[in-house]
Amino acid sequence: MTTEQPAVSGDQEIARRTDKTLAVPSAPSTFADDLSHFMLVYKFGLAEIGTKISILAEELAHRGRGNPIEHVLPRLKTTQSLTAKAHRISCPLNLDDLRARIRDIAGIRIVCSFVSDVYTVADMLTRQPDVTLIETKDYIARPKTNGYRSLHLIVEIPVFLSDRVVSVPVEVQLRTVAMDFWASLEHKIHYKYDPDVPAALRQELAAAAEDAARLDVRMERLHREIHGPRR
Ligand code: 0O2
């Protein structure tokens, strides 16, 4: 899903280049070398998004109504987890297919205080003119059957390289502290029992997710009673 645009409008030479530049190394190299080179632009995309989120957090804190962003966790897929995912989704192990089919190579998790903050921050980010929203999966409005809640966005962001601009997809996961607490425990349980989490435990987890959602509603109501809605 990485696409390129001319770095300088009208520059035929640069415009002619395609993202295959990244797929065709100039010297013979192993696939592992190609892959680590390929991952670089995702690292840069993550840095760009990370800066945007830091700016939002700091600026919002200065508005005097509190920072809605509790913490941020960027992560770049390791080459092992990338190849494992490729295997799982039957994606051929070549850079063009990986680029087109795996859009969460760069990912960032934004944990917010309240549910309304999740949507506010998502909106502030996706309204920026250099951020293109590609896909939204709203697991808060429609939780997964196991109880998982989060707002997932795939956005594309331009990365300015020495000779071209590359548009890099980044998966942004936004959730509340309560959703994050639940998801991290569920992840550990899932990992421990992989793939067969006992039915009783699955039910407990689903019930805990409902409790967490109720807590979110209650905490937000309390917050509004004390402070009014965030401006
Ligand atoms: P990691 O290491 O966290 O990145 P996919 O599962 O990626 O093939 P899709 O449709 O791309 O399918 O993914 P989706 O539904 O947008 O969710 C991808 C990521 O969301 C996962 O990444 C998790 O981080 C998180 N996630 C989704 N569902 C659950 C869930 O039920 N429980 C928890 N704890 N997290 C979830 P990865 O790739 O699994 O791993």
Side-chain angles (χ1 to χ4, degrees):
M1 184 45 83
T2 313
T3 52
E4 294 191 5
Q5 303 143 4
V8 182
S9 177
D11 185 330
Q12 293 288 315
E13 176 55 25
I14 293 172
R16 202 174 50 78
R17 296 180 187 209
T18 70
D19 55 358
K20 289 195 174 58
T21 330
L22 288 167
V24 184
S26 51
S29 61
T30 64
F31 182 68
D33 291 338
D34 295 350
L35 201 53
S36 65
H37 184 208
F38 167 82
M39 299 289 275
L40 259 189
V41 290
Y42 293 95
K43 179 178 155 197
F44 300 151
L46 208 46
E48 293 282 1
I49 285 280
T51 301
K52 285 179 176 294
I53 294 161
S54 303
I55 289 171
L56 278 180
E58 201 169 330
E59 195 248 337
L60 287 167
H62 272 82
R63 281 202 209 165
R65 302 284 300 183
N67 175 8
I69 299 174
E70 293 282 344
H71 61 266
V72 176
L73 185 71
R75 76 102 185 87
L76 197 62
K77 265 199 192 306
T78 59
T79 50
Q80 290 91 332
S81 78
L82 177 60
T83 48
K85 179 161 183 178
H87 183 69
R88 183 159 53 82
I89 65 169
S90 305
C91 173
L93 270 190
N94 67 68
L95 302 186
D96 288 338
D97 280 303
L98 292 173
R99 183 184 296 116
R101 294 189 50 194
I102 303 187
R103 293 181 302 176
D104 64 343
I105 295 172
I108 194 159
R109 184 170 298 149
I110 306 173
V111 178
C112 298
S113 316
F114 304 107
V115 177
S116 59
D117 294 334
V118 162
Y119 291 101
T120 303
V121 172
D123 193 48
M124 285 173 173
L125 191 62
T126 54
R127 267 194 284 119
Q128 299 190 6
D130 55 345
V131 174
T132 306
L133 179 63
I134 303 295
E135 186 184 289
T136 302
K137 284 188 196 166
D138 191 344
Y139 295 124
I140 299 175
R142 287 170 300 282
K144 290 177 80 166
T145 48
N146 62 358
Y148 179 77
R149 286 167 168 81
S150 276
L151 177 65
H152 289 193
L153 312 174
I154 304 288
V155 298
E156 275 188 355
I157 183 157
V159 167
F160 291 78
L161 300 176
S162 55
D163 60 351
R164 61 196 183 281
V165 184
V166 184
S167 195
V168 179
V170 179
E171 182 190 66
V172 184
Q173 294 182 356
L174 299 113
R175 55 173 75 147
T176 63
V177 178
M179 292 170 195
D180 193 50
F181 185 31
W182 182 93
S184 64
L185 181 64
E186 191 271 350
H187 183 76
K188 284 181 200 138
I189 291 173
H190 205 270
Y191 188 78
K192 174 171 173 166
Y193 288 95
D194 188 36
D196 297 314
V197 179
L201 201 45
R202 281 205 307 270
Q203 277 170 18
E204 270 294 299
L205 275 171
E210 291 298 323
D211 289 344
R214 274 193 290 274
L215 182 63
D216 269 336
V217 171
R218 199 166 187 176
M219 297 300 269
E220 178 139 14
R221 197 171 54 229
L222 275 172
H223 177 79
R224 280 170 192 258
E225 272 174 28
I226 298 163
H227 298 289
R230 282 197 207 273
R231 281 172 289 158

